Amino acid sequence: MEVIICPDYDTLSRKAAAVVADLVREKPRAVLGFATGSSPVGLYRELIRLHTEEGLDFSGVTTFNLDEYCGLPGDHPQSYRYFMNENLFNHINVPMERTHVPSGTEEDWRACCAEYEQRIVEAGGIDLQILGIGSDGHIAFNEPGSSLGSRTRRVYLTKQTIEDNSRFFDRAEDVPTSAISMGVGSILEARTCVVVVNGANKAEALAAAVEGPVTSMITSSALQWHPDTRGFCDEEAAAKLTMREYYDWIAAQREGDN
Ligand code: F6R
């Protein structure tokens, strides 16, 4: 995984957004994978700015989100569909019918998950997947112990994730305890992954993901198997990386190359 350490959250968001923008300019019919949560909000803000101020055109793009809470319909303010509409889709010119978020309200969730994967295949696969990392090292809702070959399915959230996400709900008991989530195996099929990580509470998870052993206990560590993953982090999230100097040195070399 390439590690790009940025001075602050705004810078990492801008740099990660630039990777998305470059792809959309080069491939107007790109298939983008999106994440929710607080980590990518700055990146989405920058994509909106690039659209409104610089005319970045999303009209040909198709999108797939990683996950959705079970039991929340798309118009629920805490649903991930609602989050995406509010934080990105309503502010750019992507056709809403080409934005996909798993449904958390289908009774036959198995069929629904299989169909979601099928739609990704029919769209030509995900060109670029945006990811955040949970404080327990998860990607999407692939909690510790998830198979590294897992596909889109129903998952039960850990107490830690429920507690982390309770900040978005009025009461902790309102946080759904399960979700529909793309699997680690599904995510690894994206051609490029862009991971955004900020804040001191992610420092241990980031170090484990990048420098620890590949293990289902830290599902983000599976990205070490991925051929093109770029991790953008701020100083606080980078605090526990032991190879810090080397990452900075690589970044300096790359700047010299350009
Ligand atoms: C959400 C998702 C999750 C989050 C992770 C970090 O779609 O995929 O894996 O990326 O829980 O959440 P934040 O960014 O809120 O710390």
Side-chain angles (χ1 to χ4, degrees):
M1 193 192 304
E2 185 184 349
V3 180
I4 301 114
I5 302 165
C6 304
D8 50 45
Y9 179 66
D10 278 353
T11 312
L12 83 85
S13 300
R14 254 185 290 114
K15 286 194 176 185
V19 179
V20 181
D22 284 350
L23 173 69
V24 172
R25 287 191 198 100
E26 188 188 313
K27 186 177 180 184
R29 298 191 70 79
V31 179
L32 303 177
F34 286 130
T36 56
S38 47
S39 310
V41 167
L43 186 165
Y44 297 154
R45 214 180 292 134
E46 175 64 4
L47 290 181
I48 295 167
R49 189 196 70 73
L50 288 167
H51 170 67
T52 50
E53 293 179 16
E54 298 181 22
L56 185 63
D57 182 11
F58 291 90
S59 63
V61 158
T62 299
T63 76
F64 288 91
N65 261 78
L66 289 168
D67 41 19
E68 178 61 280
Y69 285 123
C70 285
L72 300 192
D75 58 359
H76 188 290
Q78 301 308 333
S79 75
Y80 284 174
R81 158 55 77 181
Y82 190 93
F83 175 99
M84 287 310 297
N85 289 354
E86 287 288 301
N87 286 282
L88 184 64
F89 299 150
N90 286 342
H91 310 284
I92 58 174
N93 65 335
V94 63
M96 212 42 113
E97 64 276 14
R98 280 218 300 276
T99 67
H100 304 88
V101 179
S103 169
T105 54
E106 298 296 319
E107 244 173 64
D108 189 351
W109 60 265
R110 283 189 182 82
C112 190
C113 292
E115 191 190 318
Y116 198 71
E117 294 242 345
Q118 185 55 30
R119 282 196 185 176
I120 295 175
V121 171
E122 282 163 12
I126 293 174
D127 290 305
L128 189 155
Q129 177 67 58
I130 303 296
L131 295 165
I133 294 183
S135 63
D136 63 5
H138 68 228
I139 42 172
F141 272 131
N142 295 290
E143 300 285 32
S146 297
S147 158
L148 300 186
S150 52
R151 312 300 308 187
T152 304
R153 68 210 185 287
R154 183 175 185 178
V155 293
Y156 290 90
L157 311 185
T158 60
K159 285 194 177 148
Q160 176 72 59
T161 299
I162 293 171
E163 196 184 305
D164 285 354
N165 292 358
S166 64
R167 68 191 193 276
F168 299 113
F169 290 79
D170 290 338
R171 300 174 314 167
E173 54 269 38
D174 292 339
V175 188
T177 53
S178 65
I180 302 295
S181 176
M182 281 172 64
V184 181
S186 330
I187 293 168
L188 291 179
E189 285 172 9
R191 291 180 190 97
T192 296
C193 292
V194 167
V195 191
V196 282
V197 194
N198 64 292
N201 64 326
K202 299 292 177 66
E204 256 169 53
L206 181 66
V210 178
E211 298 177 341
V214 175
T215 166
S216 64
M217 294 306 287
I218 306 280
T219 51
S220 48
S221 68
L223 293 166
Q224 292 177 34
W225 279 105
H226 190 272
D228 183 18
T229 290
R230 300 172 216 176
F232 293 87
C233 62
D234 66 1
E235 287 288 348
E236 291 179 332
K240 300 213 161 144
L241 293 169
T242 58
M243 298 289 284
R244 163 73 203 247
E245 259 179 56
Y246 180 53
Y247 307 135
D248 285 343
W249 187 80
I250 294 173
Q253 299 297 307
R254 283 191 202 273
E255 288 216 347
D257 287 347
N258 291 336

